[in-house]
Amino acid sequence: MTSEQIIEQTRQAVIDGDAESSRKLAGSWLEMGLDPLLLINRALTPGIEDVGRLWEEGEYFLPELVAGAEAVKTGMQILEKELSQMKNPLSETRRVIIGTIFGDIHDIGKSLVATLLRANGYRVQDLGSDVHASRFLEAFQKEPADLICISALLTTTMIGIPDVIRIFNEHSCRSQVKFLIGGAPVTGSWAETIGADGYGADAVDAVRTANRLIGKIQ
Amino acid sequence: MMQPFIERLNKNVVLFDGAMGTQLINKGMKHNDCAERWVLDHRETILNIHRDYVRAGAEVLTTDTFCGTKFHLEKHGLAARLDDISREAVRCAREAAEDKAFVAGDVGPSGLMYPPMGNATDALLEDLFAEQIESLLKESPDIILIETQYDLREALSALRSARKLTTLPIGVTMTYNHTKRGFYTLVGNSVSQCCQAIAAEGADFMGANCTLTPEDMLELAPLLASSAELPVLIQPNAGQPVLGSDGVTYKTTAEAFAKSAARLLVKGVGAIGGCCGTSPLFIKYLRDLLDMRTTL
């Protein structure tokens, strides 16, 4: 198989949500001694962008989006082993801290945003779900980030998001980081009201907003 | 003595109640609190919300058990109280209903998802739902309402569980997103797919709730009515949530909601009510609307 064929097939594997093919193709790529970053930039990232486009057009739904993200994650896991032995350009990309707000156990949307951000070259620390405001701050103080993403899936839990921004204000860290929020009940106007910097209508939109807010390093 | 629910449903449009969760927020529930715990710790508040809906003219009261599966409750350390919560919620709604309203045992999404999003299986979800529904049934509700379902497969698991346990009327409402290609659930189920499968699995009525406003549902209502072979229930949201100093509010006024909702009452729509952000006032406006239609 030529390198061009691997690129084409890997991109298709992401579109098809075929994690097994993605893993095998990434392995073949490394066996040929090729630059892992090239496969990320030419196959995994464009592949997940295709998936995002199909989602926005209403052709794809959550299962296809998650399967595509899984295919990217699986391919990345293989390629990252090689990247860790090189000077890793990914480590110089923007850092993101992400979590679902305290009291909210919903994980899927937040995890999807995390995977898509990784696929787009961001370094992501996922704090999980049910994350207290102080844990966002602790993670930031331990290692600063460019962006903090917070998700809430219920009207009853979204009201915890402003607490995170407030605690960053109280600790004089607010100006050092951008806040991106999302989740079913969250709207753009509400994001503005509470002083967040951006809002993602869905996972694909969240990545677009992240790119706009903190800039993507190519 | 009230007539059986199905008989009532076949007569003319039945009015369901409105939101519980957003009512509780306005009554001081904190964002990390468990709404279902309130039937134990703040029973009077739940009772009063139900009573306000009865006074507003609701004919169906929905129990405070939306996140009442063991999966949800154990996150709040309440798994061992599932039976207490479910039973008390039905008793509380019944007390408020007296002989003026039916009581619907509410069943929301389980909190688990099927692959590739999660690890749920039909057997796992059927057991999870059966446990909750069995407890609800101990206090003899009039209806089981499986609602806000975003995955048809999960809705069918809940429906199968309910059907095995009871001959009571069962309703299933899905929550749809309005995509560029039409109305689909989060996982991609179409309206006709949902209607056919839900009817085949033995529901007595079906429909749509949450996510969309009455305006958003104007195209959905006729689609549901033409696809469903059963009476349709529609419960829209009151617009999009806005958080202010006075808590979460919704932009749509009760009057505007009722005005739009009037246009949802196409042939085949047998029941209407409200979802997130609606209050007894919204239900009062709907009551007036329905009464006006009856007298015309």
Side-chain angles (χ1 to χ4, degrees), chain A residues 6 23-37 39 75-83 86:
Chain A
I6 294 183
R23 188 182 65 78
K24 283 183 183 160
L25 288 159
S28 304
W29 183 264
L30 293 183
E31 278 169 24
M32 289 167 73
L34 298 165
D35 180 0
L37 268 185
L39 193 64
M76 290 281 277
Q77 278 165 354
I78 300 293
L79 299 172
E80 272 171 355
K81 286 178 200 157
E82 188 68 21
L83 279 173
M86 303 163 57

Side-chain angles (χ1 to χ4, degrees), chain B residues 6 137 141-144 162-170 202 204:
Chain B
I6 294 297
L137 290 171
D142 304 298
I143 306 160
I144 293 293
R163 198 74 293 170
K164 276 180 204 163
L165 292 165
T166 183
T167 54
L168 285 178
I170 302 172
D204 297 278

Side-chain angles (χ1 to χ4, degrees), chain A residues 48-175:
Chain A
I48 201 68
E49 283 170 357
D50 289 338
V51 171
R53 187 174 43 76
L54 288 163
W55 156 273
E56 287 185 324
E57 285 169 2
E59 291 291 331
Y60 271 15
F61 295 94
L62 189 60
E64 292 83 8
L65 195 55
V66 171
E70 273 303 308
V72 170
K73 197 169 142 189
T74 311
M76 290 281 277
Q77 278 165 354
I78 300 293
L79 299 172
E80 272 171 355
K81 286 178 200 157
E82 188 68 21
L83 279 173
S84 63
Q85 290 165 27
M86 303 163 57
K87 183 182 178 306
N88 184 356
L90 290 184
S91 68
E92 291 172 16
T93 60
R94 302 293 197 184
R95 177 171 138 78
V96 180
I97 295 170
I98 189 168
T100 306
I101 196 64
F102 184 50
D104 199 323
I105 56 165
H106 295 91
D107 207 41
I108 184 81
K110 177 269 303 164
S111 299
L112 190 58
V113 173
T115 304
L116 294 186
L117 284 170
R118 286 191 186 108
N120 278 271
Y122 291 95
R123 206 154 47 91
V124 180
Q125 182 184 7
D126 187 347
L127 300 179
S129 58
D130 195 15
V131 182
H132 200 279
S134 60
R135 278 189 56 215
F136 282 101
L137 182 68
E138 280 163 26
F140 179 81
Q141 287 174 331
K142 205 169 174 190
E143 188 183 351
D146 303 283
L147 182 70
I148 292 179
C149 299
I150 313 168
S151 151
L153 209 84
L154 303 170
T155 40
T156 50
T157 58
M158 65 188 274
I159 51 184
I161 296 179
D163 290 345
V164 186
I165 300 177
R166 191 172 57 238
I167 202 169
F168 272 70
N169 266 321
E170 285 167 6
H171 287 78
S172 310
C173 306
R174 175 67 187 91
S175 60

